[in-house]
Amino acid sequence: MTDRQSIIDQFKAKLDQWDAEIDELEAKARGASAEARANLHEQISKLKDQRGEAGSRLDELRESSQEAWQEVQAGAQRATEALGESLRAVREKF
């Protein structure tokens, strides 16, 4: 496995983990009060938007040329870090 493939695999693993965490939050929302459920659904919607952005960055990373690799990798890193921070904030809130 190349270093490049290893990095891509790490990003994919993070996204898979965060997909599972988003699913957990959705399960919690089903058992929450109406007000909390509405707030949680709003937060989950934002997380899913961020997840979509991070997924797009992963696709770009997979398809990037050697010349663009560093720049694309940095963008993917920023997107996944933002998603991770958002997930932590939502989990702490609920």
Side-chain angles (χ1 to χ4, degrees):
M1 184 181 309
T2 66
D3 287 332
R4 179 180 173 129
Q5 187 60 49
S6 176
I7 290 168
I8 290 170
D9 290 346
Q10 288 173 3
F11 278 116
K12 175 68 172 114
K14 281 182 187 178
L15 292 181
D16 290 345
Q17 175 189 348
W18 290 330
D19 285 340
E21 290 183 32
I22 291 170
D23 290 344
E24 275 183 44
L25 289 171
E26 287 179 318
K28 284 183 181 181
R30 287 189 287 274
S33 68
E35 182 180 333
R37 185 173 41 247
N39 191 1
L40 194 49
H41 280 298
E42 181 181 329
Q43 297 298 319
I44 290 168
S45 178
K46 290 177 184 178
L47 289 170
K48 286 183 175 184
D49 288 345
Q50 282 185 295
R51 168 47 178 100
E53 174 65 24
S56 294
R57 295 294 183 163
L58 178 60
D59 291 341
E60 288 175 14
L61 195 60
R62 286 182 178 130
E63 298 168 5
S64 69
S65 66
Q66 193 64 25
E67 295 79 29
W69 170 255
Q70 293 297 324
E71 184 177 329
V72 174
Q73 182 183 2
Q77 184 69 36
R78 285 190 301 274
T80 56
E81 286 173 358
L83 176 58
E85 290 172 17
S86 295
L87 267 166
R88 280 187 289 280
V90 171
R91 277 194 318 263
E92 288 174 6
K93 202 184 263 189
F94 297 96

